[in-house]
Amino acid sequence: MADDGQSVIVQRVEPSSNPVQDEDLDQYGDELAGLTIVDVDVHVDDTLMFMLDYMEGHFRKRMETVLQADFKGEPGNSLRNMIAHIAWLGSSYDKPPRAKLATKEDLLARMQKGIIDYSILFPSELLPIGYLPEPEWAAALATAYNQYMVDAYRNLDGVKIAIVVAPQHPERAAQEIESHAAHSDVVSVCIPDVGVNPPIGDEKYWPIFAAAARHDLPISFHGIEALIHDNYPLRVAHFHTLMQVNSMGFPFTSMLQIMSVVCAGIPVRFPNLKFAILEAGLTWMPFIMYRLDAAYLRYRTELPALEKKPSDYIRDWYIGTHELEALPRRGDLVKLIELYQGQDTTMWASDWPHLERDLIAGFMRYEMEDALRRKILGENALRFFGLKPRK
Amino acid sequence: MEVKVGSVQIAVFNVDGDFFALFGRCPHQSAPLSRGRLQGTVICNADTCWETQWAHEGEVLVCPGHGMEYNIRSGKAFGYDLKLRTYEVAVEDGQVMLVM
Ligand code: FES
């Protein structure tokens, strides 16, 4: 290379820090002492390579092929990277540093601080499962993921698992629920909600809800950046930046799926089934509740199974705080929760260790009564997931 | 028709000689229910095996405001956790009387 004083030598750059250890849990000390804290959205390294040993036949062969391919991006050949980050690869310039994948040891180290009573593990790698056009392949991935998670994360103090189902294969999804429901560490059924078409209230998915209701396992919808699917709610073509996709994708999808479930009368058909929405923030909740109520006046006869107005069902849904919107004033969060009547349904969630994770301090800065804070930090989640207090 | 008892408006209906009386203002935005029409509505529940059916012909009071529907016998709003107050109606010597 010519030494012209202008050339830049490109070197491989190591990640600049380890975000897995970004929160000094010890700093909270007395502030959190005695409080039950349930982190309802935690992710561990579940990249495809872990699923290999749980796949058989031609799907195992196919997984071997996937793992040999070089998809770039993060370690572990990531389905998420293929789907979510290619278009804007590198656009955040390692600022903040890309989240590392948390190993089991990272998770246990975080739990050993004794601050967090429960971590509920949700999938990372399979969050885009709704995009996959082949139902059998999607179902095989879900089966492998669930078996891996149950084998690798069973019997750990305070660690609980949400199994994942592939909604495009409702029968296999119901079988997954049947096979894992009795496991004491399995506390929820995760339906990754982005890319699911038709929307999740459609009658074809009802075997999933029937199975979950039969086993009293709550359903958790978990979002992902809504990308690269050519229908509602959002198309990649609509946005120039990943920030726009990220901001709109999660809540738009959540609103779509809530609307779909409620308008399909699923809460009437499965009255004991509990639902949660994760990773979509909170501020849109009043909008969808009361917007639907207004329209319901005119269109109720399209939804003759409903016994109450839509908001009366939606206010029963649990909701994770992550990614908490940047509400500017310390009293704003309480006002918002009052608007959607979420005192008994809002659950603190970090999304640890992902890029957008929320730290406990971010929640603690909002003013509220102690009783409400206790509900949000832990009590509501204990009820939703059917967990016993550990403190 | 609408009658006023003290400050309370009450909607009174005569359906082929059967009288029904309900609170006369819709809780939504206070439209006068006495001006609503009576028809049927669609229902869908375990009793219909989750099939949508037309039912309650002539017993569903439709609010003239925005169409909320009330069972004229019970005052119960279809599709809402809401019930209008109903009043007993007595007919004596050709006189229609509300039992308050
Ligand atoms: S006033 Fe009765 S429906 Fe609006």
Side-chain angles (χ1 to χ4, degrees):
Chain A
M1 187 187 301
D3 185 10
D4 56 7
Q6 308 232 327
S7 301
V8 175
I9 297 174
V10 177
Q11 291 178 336
R12 180 175 157 73
V13 181
E14 294 304 325
S16 49
S17 70
N18 182 352
V20 166
Q21 292 148 12
D22 66 348
E23 185 167 26
D24 179 9
L25 286 173
D26 296 326
Q27 76 183 340
Y28 297 112
D30 291 347
E31 202 180 0
L32 300 178
L35 286 181
T36 290
I37 301 186
V38 182
D39 188 346
V40 306
D41 189 14
V42 174
H43 299 273
V44 287
D45 185 353
D46 58 8
T47 34
L48 295 176
M49 58 190 176
F50 293 104
M51 296 174 212
L52 179 65
D53 287 343
Y54 295 91
M55 306 197 84
E56 292 170 350
H58 67 292
F59 284 134
R60 183 183 168 93
K61 199 72 208 155
R62 182 163 169 178
M63 184 63 102
E64 286 171 1
T65 315
V66 170
L67 292 173
Q68 281 160 13
D70 182 3
F71 292 127
K72 311 286 185 204
E74 290 173 6
N77 290 324
S78 170
L79 194 67
R80 284 196 72 181
N81 281 343
M82 280 164 43
I83 291 178
H85 290 288
I86 290 271
W88 291 279
L89 199 59
S91 67
S92 60
Y93 300 95
D94 203 27
K95 183 194 93 56
R98 292 288 304 144
K100 280 185 90 165
L101 303 165
T103 62
K104 188 167 165 180
E105 290 65 40
D106 292 327
L107 172 71
L108 293 179
R110 185 174 186 247
M111 295 298 288
Q112 270 157 15
K113 297 281 182 187
I115 304 276
I116 293 167
D117 295 74
Y118 286 104
S119 286
I120 316 295
L121 303 184
F122 275 83
S124 294
E125 190 63 9
L126 292 192
L127 286 177
I129 201 167
Y131 293 115
L132 301 177
E134 301 160 274
E136 294 286 349
W137 169 237
L141 287 168
T143 300
Y145 169 85
N146 293 333
Q147 200 54 54
Y148 163 65
M149 290 301 290
V150 166
D151 283 355
Y153 288 89
R154 74 201 318 162
N155 299 332
L156 301 175
D157 284 346
V159 175
K160 298 292 171 187
I161 300 163
I163 58 166
V164 71
V165 294
Q168 56 273 67
H169 202 319
E171 286 68 35
R172 286 284 302 278
Q175 280 169 20
E176 280 304 303
I177 295 169
E178 297 292 344
S179 5
H180 294 288
H183 197 289
S184 60
D185 289 330
V186 170
V187 295
S188 186
V189 177
C190 174
I191 303 182
D193 54 13
V194 173
V196 175
N197 186 22
I200 199 69
D202 191 274
E203 207 164 338
K204 84 176 208 185
Y205 306 114
W206 289 13
I208 306 174
F209 299 119
R214 212 160 32 244
H215 294 286
D216 202 18
L217 263 189
I219 300 272
S220 303
F221 292 105
H222 191 303
I224 190 176
E225 298 93 327
L227 290 177
I228 314 183
H229 60 105
D230 56 3
N231 50 25
Y232 187 88
L234 297 171
R235 287 193 295 164
V236 67
H238 291 170
F239 299 99
H240 289 155
T241 66
L242 190 51
M243 174 185 153
Q244 295 171 54
V245 172
N246 199 289
S247 305
M248 302 288 276
F250 290 89
F252 269 45
T253 305
S254 297
M255 285 190 277
L256 168 68
Q257 303 301 8
I258 288 182
M259 182 172 73
S260 175
V261 167
V262 170
C263 292
I266 289 170
V268 185
R269 297 292 296 271
F270 306 103
N272 299 324
L273 194 52
K274 287 182 289 191
F275 293 96
I277 286 277
L278 298 177
E279 195 148 349
L282 305 174
T283 49
W284 48 271
M285 271 291 269
F287 165 80
I288 192 65
M289 288 167 72
Y290 307 122
R291 182 85 187 157
L292 286 178
D293 280 1
Y296 184 65
L297 271 166
R298 294 189 295 287
Y299 301 114
R300 189 204 71 82
T301 46
E302 292 181 349
L303 319 171
L306 295 200
E307 294 164 348
K308 305 183 284 190
K309 60 188 185 298
S311 68
D312 290 339
Y313 294 105
I314 300 172
R315 73 175 182 212
D316 291 339
W317 284 51
Y318 287 69
I319 183 162
T321 53
H322 177 263
E323 180 177 4
L324 193 54
E325 287 89 350
L327 299 168
R329 288 160 305 194
R330 287 172 180 264
D332 286 349
L333 185 56
V334 167
K335 287 187 209 156
L336 172 67
I337 290 172
E338 278 172 5
L339 267 181
Y340 69 82
Q341 308 170 63
Q343 291 88 346
D344 295 316
T345 52
T346 305
M347 308 185 286
W348 181 71
S350 74
D351 195 34
W352 181 89
H354 284 172
L355 178 65
E356 320 82 352
R357 66 207 166 276
D358 282 333
L359 311 187
I360 297 179
F363 170 73
M364 296 301 280
R365 68 181 287 279
Y366 288 104
E367 291 162 353
M368 65 187 68
E369 304 268 334
D370 284 350
L372 179 59
R373 202 179 293 283
R374 278 199 301 275
K375 286 180 178 186
I376 296 174
L377 279 174
E379 291 169 5
N380 292 342
L382 292 180
R383 192 168 54 253
F384 181 74
F385 293 105
L387 299 170
K388 294 195 182 66
R390 296 186 66 211
K391 289 197 183 107
Chain B
M1 64 176 288
E2 181 169 279
V3 297
K4 200 166 174 189
V5 180
S7 60
V8 181
Q9 277 102 352
I10 297 174
V12 182
F13 295 88
N14 176 353
V15 182
D16 300 330
D18 289 334
F19 289 90
F20 302 96
L22 309 95
F23 181 74
R25 288 288 184 267
C26 178
H28 176 230
Q29 288 179 7
S30 299
L33 290 172
S34 59
R35 297 185 204 162
R37 64 176 190 283
L38 294 172
Q39 60 170 51
T41 191
V42 279
I43 60 169
C44 175
N45 53 42
D47 292 341
T48 71
C49 297
W50 304 102
E51 296 290 332
T52 299
Q53 292 178 4
W54 185 256
H56 303 292
E57 180 62 44
E59 297 183 352
V60 178
L61 167 61
V62 182
C63 175
H66 311 87
M68 278 183 72
E69 299 147 293
Y70 300 93
N71 183 310
I72 197 166
R73 294 176 185 277
S74 66
K76 169 98 184 59
F78 286 89
Y80 286 84
D81 187 13
L82 173 77
K83 186 179 163 315
L84 293 176
R85 180 158 180 199
T86 56
Y87 302 87
E88 200 182 318
V89 183
V91 183
E92 278 178 25
D93 300 334
Q95 293 270 56
V96 178
M97 292 182 297
L98 291 183
V99 182
M100 300 297 288

